[in-house]
């Protein structure tokens, strides 16, 4: 059985969970990514705000799971 990582917004959120979701996907520290994002936004004439809003719309939220789907997948494999 493969371990599929999916890029989703995180529940560890400051605004929408975009930075934390990216950090979780790549295994980075969310705080450091947020700092880099703020600096990048400031030095690019606030283009980061537009990128953040686009990612907020495009990235799916993390689904809460009761484990049912995992149990069914284990039975099938």
């Amino acid at each position: 059985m493969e371990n599929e990582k999916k890029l989703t917004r995180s529940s560890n959120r400051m605004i929408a969970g975009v930075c934390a979701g990216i950090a979780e996907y790549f295994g980075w520290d969310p705080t450091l990514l947020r700092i880099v994002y703020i600096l990048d936004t400031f030095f690019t004439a606030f283009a980061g705000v537009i990128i953040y809003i686009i990612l907020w719309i495009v990235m799916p939220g993390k689904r809460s799971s009761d484990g049912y789907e995992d149990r069914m997948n284990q039975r099938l494999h």
Side-chain angles (χ1 to χ4, degrees), residues 23-60:
E24 288 174 3
Y25 183 80
F26 289 109
W28 299 338
D29 182 23
T31 305
L32 290 176
L33 185 62
R34 289 176 182 135
I35 292 170
V36 169
Y37 167 75
I38 290 169
L39 291 173
D40 184 47
T41 299
F42 180 74
F43 289 115
T44 59
F46 298 97
V49 174
I50 296 168
I51 294 169
Y52 192 90
I53 292 170
I54 291 169
L55 288 174
W56 187 353
I57 293 168
V58 173
M59 286 174 64

Side-chain angles (χ1 to χ4, degrees), residues 8-18 20-21 24 34 61-62:
T8 59
R9 288 181 281 133
S10 177
S11 57
N12 175 12
R13 59 181 61 191
M14 296 296 270
I15 297 175
V18 172
E24 288 174 3
R34 289 176 182 135
K62 190 176 283 187

